[in-house]
Amino acid sequence: MIKPFQRGAAAIALIVATVLAASPARAQQKSEIALSRQPGIFYMPSHIMEKLKLIEKHAASLGLAGVTTKWITFSGGGAQTDALLAGGVDILNTGTGNLLLLWDRTRGGVKGIVATSAQPMTLISRDANIKSIRDFGPSDKIAVPTVKVSTQAIVLQIAAAEAFGADQWSKLDANTVQLGHPDAYAALSNPKHEVHNHFSIPPFTFLELKNVPGAHIVLSSPDVMGGAAQPGPVLHHHQIRRGQSKDHPGRARRDQGSAGPDPQRHEAGGRDLQGDHRRQGLGRGVARSAQGARHDGVESRAAGHDEIRCASVQDRHAEEPAQGLDGLLSPRRARSEGQLMALLDVSSVTLRYKTSSAVVTATERVSFTVDKSDRFVLLGPSGCGKSTLLKAVGGYMTPSEGRMTIGDREIHGPGADRMMIFQEFDQLLPWKSVLANVMFPLLTARKLSRRDAEAKARAYIEKVGLTRVVDAYPHTLSGGMKQRVAIARGMAMEPDILLMDEPFAALDALTRRTCQDELLQLWSETKFTVLFVTHSIAEAIRIGNRILLLSPHPGRVKAEVIDVDKVSNEDGSAGRLEKEIHDLLFAGEATAH
């Protein structure tokens, strides 16, 4: 049974070996290959390859003993396409439609490797009035993994051409909405949901026919195509670009800590956070600071939480160029006069969660406060618990120890006073327009009439510069535009605090910089409070006015950087601060070597 999976893994390993062999320098730097996986029997081979480490084994047999894999879950092909084009994933396990789309967009730069399975796809409806595709009306939504280009969407186009005529092949495109198979199954299972049709794959086909009242088959792919469809992984021809050697000029700057896109680097462990730069010599003062020593004669606080106070630009001009952290550590920031209570207070919080094999401690006795209008950044390498902390503040996890309060209210669950913006592009409701997406939480909260909700939604859509696409659907938007819609939706609720989990990590460098600028412009206009997670030191300095540095495994507070908005790229103070933060984050590792 494993042999077909071994053949697929061997094919992937062979392609990886070929690419790496073409550049010895690249082979030395690139140790991890990021691959996608999706839910469903269609994609079971990828799960088998991951479980048995087949790619690593075949790569080792080809002389690449250091190759490791990172498997990333996606709900559908659209998000995978964006991730590949943004450089966040190397190999996709997706449908033929997405392969053709990517091949066309990259002018042949994406190549098919191997087909991994062949399964029927089935169009299922819970609407008793829909017996065939001729019965679909304009308001009958059909869930597909990716609008227009997924295999299901193409099969629907072929069926439409047969039913309505060759010139009507796209007749049902307007009915399709982008939903991952688990989300589509959930939609069909909810009688009140407006999506009641799904172009499904096993095992969701069987689950829907068994568990959804009235579910029945409208169309099957073998009826249209004469056989089962075969999805297959695809490979970018600049596959190893996240570890490119120095003769590829576009990457060197990012490896030195620029804000270029690298959405999965934070998942790869601390060793990849800033590339080889962190292995350079570190000052003795940094090493002492990492051990909790203070250089101003003040004892460290109980939580091991030091602060770095950045001198003003004028003060930094007077500093000696070699001055390090010794002159930056200071006692805890004093609360401004008349300010009695922090907006957010995280006190000695330990977060734990269970896996199939162990209980993982994500953070240990973490304490910090966020004041009104702060741009507070959580920064650290993989495994430091920064995203877990954000989820806990959002109310999605309960601390094992400690407590979290917002205002005078202890956090016990999600609430409209905290709005979350995720990294993923597919966080919008695909069957709703831009305007409807931004209005949705306003209407759900039942605080505004529909007229007032629309007015407020349009105002925030205008703030993020998307008025021209107010009636567009998510599948027609770029990744950056989708994130701007998500920001508008969060801000329209006017929450006490906006929670942002690496919202720009999957964007290309230019779009990422534009979105950072727009976020700062919005803050200057409204002075909202944001808790922002990133693995990029440069992005943390650019976005935040305060930065909390976390150590990995489990996450503990190493230091807090304050007055960050006083540094500047023009006088070099931002660059010096970036190096100081970098040295502090990795000082323990340096002393270990």
Side-chain angles (χ1 to χ4, degrees):
M1 177 179 176
I2 302 299
K3 286 185 177 179
F5 306 148
Q6 290 178 331
R7 286 197 294 269
I12 295 172
L14 181 60
I15 294 296
V16 171
T18 302
V19 175
L20 291 178
S23 172
R26 184 182 298 180
Q28 290 176 2
Q29 293 189 21
K30 180 69 174 179
S31 61
E32 183 180 76
I33 306 300
L35 306 97
S36 73
R37 58 162 117 76
Q38 294 190 62
I41 297 174
F42 245 51
Y43 303 101
M44 183 182 291
S46 63
H47 295 270
I48 299 294
M49 292 178 200
E50 177 186 9
K51 183 73 173 178
L52 301 183
K53 298 187 178 299
L54 296 181
I55 294 175
E56 290 91 332
K57 292 176 182 178
H58 284 284
S61 71
L62 294 170
L64 298 173
V67 170
T68 60
T69 58
K70 177 67 179 180
W71 293 87
I72 306 161
T73 299
F74 291 89
S75 61
Q80 293 188 84
T81 298
D82 290 334
L84 184 68
L85 293 176
V89 67
D90 302 314
I91 296 176
L92 301 189
N93 196 5
T94 187
T96 305
N98 269 2
L99 168 58
L100 296 175
L101 171 69
L102 287 164
W103 181 88
D104 179 64
R105 283 191 184 180
T106 61
R107 300 179 180 272
V110 169
K111 308 293 185 183
I113 301 175
V114 62
T116 56
S117 66
Q119 299 282 340
M121 298 175 294
T122 309
L123 178 57
I124 292 177
S125 177
R126 60 175 167 83
D127 188 336
N129 296 318
I130 297 178
K131 306 293 186 184
S132 73
I133 64 170
R134 293 181 178 275
D135 298 324
F136 283 100
S139 61
D140 295 319
K141 302 298 183 184
I142 305 170
V144 295
T146 308
V147 172
K148 294 187 179 180
V149 297
S150 64
T151 307
Q152 288 90 334
I154 293 173
V155 171
L156 189 64
Q157 291 169 348
I158 296 172
E162 292 178 352
F164 306 113
D167 61 339
Q168 296 293 307
W169 61 271
S170 62
K171 180 178 176 65
L172 296 178
D173 281 358
N175 293 70
T176 58
V177 295
Q178 183 170 308
L179 275 180
H181 294 296
D183 293 331
Y185 172 40
L188 258 67
S189 301
N190 181 359
K192 297 181 179 180
H193 202 286
E194 55 197 288
V195 175
H196 48 257
N197 308 284
H198 176 208
F199 219 135
S200 184
I201 61 171
F204 303 101
T205 304
F206 312 131
L207 293 171
E208 288 164 1
L209 291 174
K210 178 182 178 181
N211 299 327
V212 177
H216 59 278
I217 296 174
V218 176
L219 186 73
S220 176
S221 61
D223 298 335
V224 179
M225 303 173 63
Q230 293 187 334
V234 297
L235 174 71
H236 198 284
H237 78 308
H238 286 151
Q239 158 67 277
I240 316 299
R241 64 182 181 176
R242 288 185 294 132
Q244 281 181 330
S245 57
K246 293 180 180 178
D247 58 354
H248 290 72
R251 293 289 163 183
R253 290 181 59 202
R254 188 201 61 217
D255 287 343
Q256 296 300 320
S258 74
D262 194 1
Q264 299 305 329
R265 175 178 291 181
H266 66 291
E267 297 288 347
R271 66 185 184 279
D272 290 327
L273 184 65
Q274 293 294 340
D276 291 338
H277 176 65
R278 65 178 178 79
R279 299 186 180 89
Q280 298 171 1
L282 301 173
R284 289 175 296 173
V286 176
R288 292 197 304 273
S289 183
Q291 296 166 3
R294 294 296 296 264
H295 302 278
D296 53 4
V298 179
E299 291 295 325
S300 298
R301 285 183 283 155
H305 184 166
D306 294 336
E307 288 187 352
I308 306 172
R309 179 178 296 279
C310 300
S312 67
V313 174
Q314 292 80 6
D315 292 337
R316 296 184 69 91
H317 278 305
E319 292 174 0
E320 291 295 327
Q323 183 176 0
L325 290 178
D326 293 17
L328 296 177
L329 292 171
S330 72
R332 183 167 186 154
R333 182 181 72 161
R335 192 168 299 284
S336 60
E337 185 177 354
Q339 189 173 354
L340 301 178
M341 182 184 298
L343 175 62
L344 174 68
D345 193 335
V346 175
S347 180
S348 299
V349 165
T350 297
L351 295 169
R352 297 187 179 96
Y353 59 88
K354 291 182 179 180
T355 67
S356 58
S357 58
V359 175
V360 177
T361 300
T363 67
E364 188 172 69
R365 295 187 61 79
V366 170
S367 297
F368 62 90
T369 61
V370 178
D371 296 331
K372 186 175 177 59
S373 297
D374 266 346
R375 304 189 310 276
F376 195 97
V377 177
L378 300 177
L379 174 66
S382 176
C384 70
K386 52 189 183 293
S387 291
T388 307
L389 269 171
L390 199 72
K391 291 175 183 176
V393 173
Y396 302 106
M397 290 185 67
T398 301
S400 303
E401 300 174 14
R403 66 196 298 263
M404 297 181 170
T405 58
I406 185 164
D408 57 354
R409 309 178 302 278
E410 188 164 356
I411 296 173
H412 292 296
D417 54 353
R418 289 148 287 140
M419 291 295 291
M420 181 84 79
I421 297 172
F422 300 96
Q423 178 184 145
E424 293 79 9
F425 292 147
D426 54 358
Q427 60 187 294
L428 303 178
L429 302 176
W431 60 90
K432 291 184 179 292
S433 66
V434 167
L435 177 61
N437 263 284
V438 178
M439 289 176 60
F440 179 73
L442 296 170
L443 295 174
T444 303
R446 298 181 178 179
K447 293 182 178 180
L448 297 175
S449 66
R450 176 170 290 275
R451 181 176 179 178
D452 291 341
E454 180 175 345
K456 178 174 280 191
R458 287 184 181 275
Y460 277 96
I461 290 170
E462 182 178 4
K463 285 181 182 293
V464 297
L466 293 178
T467 302
R468 68 188 186 282
V469 294
V470 68
D471 295 319
Y473 285 85
H475 72 269
T476 66
L477 306 178
S478 67
M481 294 168 77
K482 291 176 184 177
Q483 292 302 79
R484 287 151 69 188
V485 174
I487 291 171
R489 181 175 61 183
M491 292 189 64
M493 287 292 289
E494 298 179 352
D496 290 342
I497 187 168
L498 197 63
L499 310 176
M500 306 186 77
D501 189 6
E502 304 203 59
F504 311 136
L507 302 175
D508 63 84
L510 292 176
T511 305
R512 186 180 193 183
R513 182 61 176 253
T514 299
C515 287
Q516 290 169 347
D517 290 342
E518 290 174 346
L519 182 67
L520 292 172
Q521 178 61 36
L522 283 170
W523 182 87
S524 70
E525 295 173 1
T526 62
K527 296 297 189 292
F528 60 90
T529 307
V530 59
L531 182 60
F532 191 101
V533 164
T534 182
H535 67 281
S536 166
I537 299 175
E539 182 173 57
I541 294 172
R542 181 168 178 76
I543 294 295
N545 69 314
R546 296 169 63 196
I547 303 173
L548 193 75
L549 307 183
L550 296 170
S551 63
H553 310 300
R556 300 184 182 94
V557 176
K558 294 197 84 168
E560 181 182 343
V561 189
I562 62 177
D563 298 334
V564 181
D565 44 5
K566 292 183 179 179
V567 303
S568 167
N569 284 318
E570 281 123 9
D571 70 338
S573 56
R576 293 195 295 273
L577 176 60
E578 182 173 343
K579 183 180 186 305
E580 289 157 1
I581 291 174
H582 176 274
D583 290 348
L584 179 57
L585 282 174
F586 296 106
E589 187 172 319
T591 55
H593 293 289

